Amino acid sequence: MNELSTTETIRRTCPTCEACCGLIVEVDRTNNSIVSIKGDPDDTRSQGYVCAKSQVFNHVYEDPQRLRQPVLKTAEGWQPIGWNEALAMVANKFRGIIEAHGKDALGIYVGNPLGHDFAAGIYLQSLMAVVNTERFFSAGTVDQHPQQLVCWGLLGHEWLFPVPDLHRTDLFICMGANPVVSQGSILGTPDIEKTLRDLQERGGRCVVIDPRHSETAALADQHIFIRPGTDAWFLLSFAHVLVEQKAVDTGHVADNIDNLNAFIELVQDFPPEKTASVTGVDAAALRELAVRYAQTNRAALYGRIGLCTQEFGLVSHWLLMVISLISGKFDTAGGMMMATAPTGGSGPGVTGEVKPYGRWKSRKSGVPETCGELPASLLTEEITASGEEIRGLLTICGNPVLSVPGGRQLRDALSSVDFIVSLDIYINETTSCADLILPSSVHPEHSNIDVTFQNFATRNFASYSPRLLEPEAGVRDLGDIILDIAARLSGLEAAQLDEFILAGMIDTVVKRGEDSGYQLSAERIRDQCDGDTSAETYADLLMRSGPYGDWFGAEPDGLSLASLKVHPQATIDLGALQQRLPGILRTPGQRIDLMHELFTLDLPRLNKRFEELLAQDSSDKGKMLLVGRRHIRDMNSWLHNLRAYVRGRNRCTLKIHPDDARALYLQEGVLAAVRGEAGTVELPVEVTAEMMPGVVSIPHGFGHLYEGCEQDIAAASAGVSCNDIIGTGLDIASSTCVVNGVPVTVCRA
Ligand SMILES: Nc1nc2c(c(=O)[nH]1)N[C@H]1C(S)=C(S)[C@@H](COP(=O)(O)OP(=O)(O)OC[C@H]3O[C@@H](n4cnc5c(=O)[nH]c(N)nc54)[C@H](O)[C@@H]3O)O[C@H]1N2
Ligand SMILES: Nc1nc2c(c(=O)[nH]1)N[C@H]1C(S)=C(S)[C@@H](COP(=O)(O)OP(=O)(O)OC[C@H]3O[C@@H](n4cnc5c(=O)[nH]c(N)nc54)[C@H](O)[C@@H]3O)O[C@H]1N2
Ligand code: SF4
Ligand SMILES: [Mo]
């Protein structure tokens, strides 16, 4: 601290997206406030870069409408309630429901910001173990589930994701992702725009395959329109060309691969000329791209949300990974590679032979779970499942009323749940339906470690973000709240449950030591591990026994939490991505079965759909396919109460191609009515040649229209929710919600 002033400079990472940019924050100690947030030029990853959202966590901290203490819904409105009373009520109500109706009468929905809170992630695992409900839902089923299943099916680990090695690639093919706006997802790179320009400057190419000429497409060397939902056939043809070109080369994993011939046989049937009319991609353009890919040693084929949340999300991501594998571009520099995270693991989830699918089914429609979850769009029908209703619901950092298909129906269904608790910081479209809301500290008030995102980064890194401000009186951290609920439900004190978790982690570390040739006693580990909070201690344990760890002194130059805390920057760069196969494979016998039944069982559905699409008459006026989009100033639904992020032009518009607009008598700015399976919304038209003809786009996360919310700024720029149109259609092979390529009818309102 400077002697003359009360300001202090603290370095931390930005907690708002996966990029984890390094920040310099000036904090004023006299009034416990943040004076400024700037990019840290000395952060080796981000080098001073930040986007407009770097200020988010301070705006949220200062937002007067953010909840700062628990509130209970009463006949007189929301009333403050003490923590003890609130937590006792949660435990009593939930225990009562479980005793009367069984464990599965309790539902849990977890949203996206939880991934940005390391401590909450740890304690969520414990809560899930304690509650053990089959009615578990998360934003993951409107997101990365197909990718998790592909990672499990081919590599044996649900959370071992390949990322494009952007810093060394010469050809980046980007399908169904818009990293220039999203800042990269399962692709952690600060300043993606510069990263892509660097690629171009060294002679490389960026090619975007997307039904919209997105911000990433605008920067790319080539953009190819594709009809939404048809990527699987594009990829089958892509693989066909590789085979035709005799470009199949399985490289250093050749000895681990099974069923290569069967895969080759499969793709023989899909020359580009056969799939062109279905995908809308010219056969010659596809051939040229596939040949270029085959001839480029360092090439990365990447896909994200647009590939996941569509009718054939699982098959598309399977093909994406198999193509990398059979072209020698997987686990090699410049191709698709896996990070080596300092905490050693690659997150929760199933490894090896335990199947992460089909272990139970939803009660109403019999849809199989995947990755321990039921599709979030089925929450509504599960709540009302006759005789097996969800009676108690816990939502954690989630806003499913806006984020999940059939949002309006969900909102209605929530009124029939006996008791809803929301762990959230706002009274919004979802939490306003709760009986009790328990807010937690926000990012400036607690420390954090980017454990999840260290697994998705394009360069290996470690980071520590210290607490910036003294928490306001009575504020509790989200992790502690979750721990407390888990403890009360299992009849323990929070400290006792924490102690069990610690003992379990120490056992894991002892075993890790044995596997790596370090003889460590539990006592020695317990003596040495350290942290300001239990969660920090857990991070210390994992880091010290991880791939760069100090092994509790055995490797004095290795990483520990203490070494991160004294490092001048918030992050330490741990170098380029490394080759990880075959060692890291967790499949039985370390085999990579290219034709795993998880994927091939969906081929008949794929073939049937292909025939239907071939036969389809596309002349039906007003019938369009809906896709989503994101904007740099949004983060799903939760930044709209911050004036800095909603001012300016209305972003919640229907983007439509000029030819379609003309045919439907829609001019710029008029209201269009867009009807889908779940309902109709009306919103202003934006005519733009960005869109592929026949495709329209609406962003998600808007629709702040409900009574009872306490987000005045959001309400003033409400927009509409595209999830009020989108029905509960699934990529049934992965139980993932389809929010892209959704059939809608468009007309003038
Ligand atoms: N149509 C369509 N739907 C989509 C998508 C799409 O592309 N198209 N994308 C999907 C994707 S990828 C995702 S991840 C989901 C997101 O789905 P959700 O995670 O359900 O939605 P969010 O809008 O991110 O809601 C975040 C919630 O967390 C709260 N929150 C924010 N910060 C904190 C905090 O620090 N502490 C606490 N306790 N609470 C906090 C906010 O108030 C808000 O209620 O949406 C999905 N829905
Ligand atoms: N600014 C901002 N950043 C964010 C978020 C945010 O809301 N705002 N959300 C964060 C979250 S939770 C996530 S998961 C990530 C998502 O990160 P991305 O996946 O990079 O983001 P999207 O903008 O959803 O990109 C999806 C793209 O897929 C295209 N698409 C739609 N359907 C299809 C299809 O069938 N085939 C093909 N090939 N393309 C298709 C869409 O036109 C769109 O351009 O972004 C994260 N970052
Ligand atoms: S890119 Fe992401 S991590 Fe970087 S400043 Fe913006 S929101 Fe924060
Ligand atoms: Mo997401």
Side-chain angles (χ1 to χ4, degrees):
M1 201 183 296
N2 183 327
E3 267 181 52
L4 295 174
S5 79
T6 52
T7 56
E8 192 180 340
T9 304
I10 303 177
R11 285 173 164 79
R12 60 156 297 153
T13 62
C14 172
T16 301
C17 90
E18 263 185 46
C20 304
C21 299
L23 304 177
I24 300 179
V25 187
E26 293 284 331
V27 171
D28 186 340
R29 288 283 169 230
T30 45
N31 59 6
N32 197 41
S33 66
I34 291 174
V35 179
S36 69
I37 303 171
K38 300 198 176 100
D40 181 355
D42 298 323
D43 184 284
T44 39
R45 294 179 70 247
S46 54
Q47 299 173 15
Y49 172 81
V50 285
C51 83
K53 292 189 299 302
S54 61
Q55 314 295 313
V56 157
F57 67 105
N58 188 36
H59 289 313
V60 168
Y61 173 72
E62 291 180 343
D63 187 346
Q65 285 193 304
R66 177 172 64 82
L67 288 175
R68 285 157 170 88
Q69 55 182 325
V71 287
L72 179 70
K73 192 181 271 165
T74 70
E76 286 76 48
W78 293 101
Q79 299 294 331
I81 171 175
W83 275 106
N84 248 331
E85 200 188 335
L87 287 162
M89 185 184 294
V90 176
N92 283 340
K93 291 275 189 188
F94 283 171
R95 215 182 292 119
I97 287 167
I98 293 168
E99 276 164 17
H101 305 284
K103 66 181 178 60
D104 302 322
L106 188 62
I108 300 181
Y109 174 90
V110 178
N112 173 278
L114 188 112
H116 295 266
D117 183 332
F118 164 69
I122 296 224
Y123 293 121
L124 178 66
Q125 300 304 312
S126 312
L127 179 69
M128 283 162 62
V130 169
V131 175
N132 191 26
T133 177
E134 294 185 357
R135 259 65 176 271
F136 186 83
F137 306 83
S138 90
T141 53
V142 202
D143 195 337
Q144 79 290 342
H145 264 222
Q147 283 178 269
Q148 277 177 250
L149 287 170
V150 170
C151 294
W152 178 83
L154 292 174
L155 309 175
H157 202 309
E158 219 185 287
W159 281 89
L160 184 69
F161 291 107
V163 297
D165 183 15
L166 284 183
H167 312 286
R168 292 181 289 187
T169 198
D170 294 321
L171 175 62
F172 173 50
I173 305 180
C174 177
M175 299 183 71
N178 188 12
V180 165
V181 165
S182 66
Q183 305 285 350
S185 184
I186 314 197
L187 187 188
T189 302
D191 202 352
I192 195 98
E193 223 174 303
K194 178 172 180 296
T195 309
L196 295 179
R197 289 198 200 284
D198 286 349
L199 184 166
Q200 291 169 321
E201 263 165 40
R202 57 174 192 266
R205 273 173 85 81
C206 170
V207 180
V208 169
I209 318 247
D210 197 300
R212 182 167 82 88
H213 187 76
S214 64
E215 293 77 357
T216 308
L219 181 150
D221 301 274
Q222 186 184 5
H223 168 227
I224 300 175
F225 276 133
I226 188 164
R227 184 192 152 103
T230 65
D231 300 82
W233 298 293
F234 173 92
L235 290 164
L236 283 164
S237 291
F238 194 100
H240 176 98
V241 177
L242 297 183
V243 171
E244 195 179 73
Q245 293 289 315
K246 307 212 171 352
V248 173
D249 164 17
T250 45
H252 66 293
V253 285
D255 289 344
N256 297 75
I257 283 188
D258 288 331
N259 273 321
L260 176 60
N261 287 336
F263 183 79
I264 289 174
E265 206 171 299
L266 168 74
V267 303
Q268 301 287 6
D269 270 351
F270 294 93
E273 292 70 19
K274 179 172 164 184
T275 57
S277 70
V278 165
T279 60
V281 178
D282 174 61
L286 191 160
R287 261 178 206 289
E288 197 227 28
L289 181 63
V291 169
R292 187 186 290 276
Y293 175 82
Q295 290 172 349
T296 308
N297 271 336
R298 296 182 164 204
L301 181 61
Y302 163 81
R304 198 51 193 95
I305 282 287
L307 234 62
C308 282
T309 52
Q310 57 144 297
E311 200 179 349
F312 293 100
L314 182 70
V315 171
S316 299
H317 271 285
W318 165 59
L319 293 168
L320 203 71
M321 197 188 287
V322 169
I323 289 172
S324 291
L325 277 162
I326 66 163
S327 55
K329 300 181 198 327
F330 194 81
D331 197 38
T332 56
M336 294 298 289
M337 299 191 81
M338 275 83 60
T340 311
T343 43
S346 36
V350 161
T351 54
E353 292 184 42
V354 180
K355 284 187 186 168
Y357 54 93
R359 290 162 293 179
W360 63 87
K361 291 186 169 160
S362 73
R363 300 299 203 271
K364 181 80 194 291
S365 315
V367 170
E369 64 81 29
T370 53
C371 312
E373 300 183 20
L374 297 172
S377 58
L378 299 192
L379 178 53
T380 305
E381 62 169 51
E382 288 296 287
I383 285 175
T384 51
S386 181
E388 299 205 76
E389 295 88 351
I390 290 179
R391 312 263 181 171
L393 181 67
L394 176 65
T395 76
I396 309 179
C397 301
N399 191 6
V401 168
L402 294 193
S403 297
V404 166
R408 189 170 285 278
Q409 287 82 352
L410 173 60
R411 168 105 183 172
D412 290 343
L414 289 176
S415 62
S416 69
V417 180
D418 293 346
F419 190 66
I420 304 180
V421 182
S422 291
L423 309 191
D424 208 286
I425 52 174
Y426 282 111
I427 303 182
N428 64 18
E429 297 72 21
T430 301
T431 62
S432 58
C433 301
D435 298 280
L436 183 62
I437 310 178
L438 307 183
S440 38
S441 59
V442 284
H443 280 281
E445 300 173 299
H446 62 78
S447 66
N448 197 30
I449 300 167
D450 306 305
V451 170
T452 306
F453 307 115
Q454 290 165 359
N455 287 287
F456 305 162
T458 57
R459 278 183 73 84
N460 295 314
F461 79 101
S463 65
Y464 174 74
S465 294
R467 164 195 283 180
L468 302 174
L469 302 176
E470 281 307 309
E472 288 169 43
V475 165
R476 300 185 59 162
D477 292 345
L478 181 60
D480 291 343
I481 300 169
I482 298 174
L483 172 71
D484 201 314
I485 295 174
R488 285 174 196 252
L489 287 178
S490 52
L492 296 171
E493 294 292 323
Q496 283 175 307
L497 181 55
D498 217 4
E499 178 56 34
F500 280 133
I501 299 170
L502 178 65
M505 285 226 184
I506 290 176
D507 284 348
T508 309
V509 171
V510 171
K511 222 189 139 290
R512 270 191 185 185
E514 280 163 11
D515 294 346
S516 312
Y518 297 95
Q519 292 305 317
L520 294 166
S521 68
E523 292 70 33
R524 175 162 162 210
I525 296 170
R526 183 181 284 267
D527 261 9
Q528 288 202 17
C529 64
D530 195 17
D532 294 341
T533 61
S534 301
E536 283 196 9
T537 305
Y538 300 150
D540 187 48
L541 277 171
L542 294 175
M543 220 177 309
R544 297 176 84 172
S545 60
Y548 316 88
D550 79 344
W551 289 99
F552 305 90
E555 306 289 343
D557 295 331
L559 273 189
S560 64
L561 189 63
S563 70
L564 275 180
K565 285 184 177 178
V566 297
H567 188 74
Q569 274 68 50
T571 61
I572 298 182
D573 182 276
L574 296 168
L577 302 181
Q578 302 291 317
Q579 198 165 297
R580 313 231 33 211
L581 297 183
I584 200 168
L585 289 171
R586 293 289 174 272
T587 46
Q590 294 202 313
R591 310 301 304 163
I592 304 175
D593 180 1
L594 299 185
M595 298 291 278
H596 194 293
E597 66 162 28
L598 173 57
F599 316 115
T600 54
L601 281 174
D602 203 27
L603 291 176
R605 184 175 70 106
L606 187 79
N607 290 335
K608 181 163 170 278
R609 188 78 181 112
F610 187 70
E611 297 305 323
E612 283 168 16
L613 287 172
L614 272 181
Q616 200 173 65
D617 174 11
S618 61
S619 62
D620 198 354
K621 230 175 151 189
K623 281 240 186 290
M624 302 270 176
L625 294 175
L626 174 69
V627 297
R629 69 173 187 272
R630 289 173 154 80
H631 187 277
I632 192 82
R633 285 175 176 270
D634 291 321
M635 183 49 75
N636 302 315
S637 75
W638 65 277
L639 302 190
H640 295 155
N641 209 45
L642 309 176
R643 206 172 295 282
Y645 298 98
V646 287
R647 53 167 203 239
R649 224 157 59 88
N650 175 15
R651 303 197 287 269
C652 188
T653 58
L654 178 81
K655 291 201 181 205
I656 185 167
H657 188 272
D659 293 349
D660 293 323
R662 211 170 302 120
L664 296 168
Y665 305 104
L666 293 171
Q667 294 89 30
E668 181 79 14
V670 304
L671 276 190
V674 186
R675 193 179 75 223
E677 194 189 304
T680 304
V681 299
E682 294 182 3
L683 76 170
V685 166
E686 189 179 339
V687 180
T688 166
E690 264 172 39
M691 296 311 301
M692 183 177 185
V695 183
V696 290
S697 156
I698 307 179
H700 73 286
F702 287 92
H704 307 286
L705 321 140
Y706 292 102
E707 289 287 315
C709 300
E710 297 189 12
Q711 291 196 304
D712 296 345
I713 297 174
S717 37
V720 293
S721 175
C722 64
N723 285 317
D724 287 346
I725 314 174
I726 301 171
T728 53
L730 297 173
D731 168 29
I732 192 66
S734 64
S735 294
T736 301
C737 304
V738 176
V739 296
N740 279 294
V742 174
V744 291
T745 314
V746 180
C747 64
R748 218 179 149 124

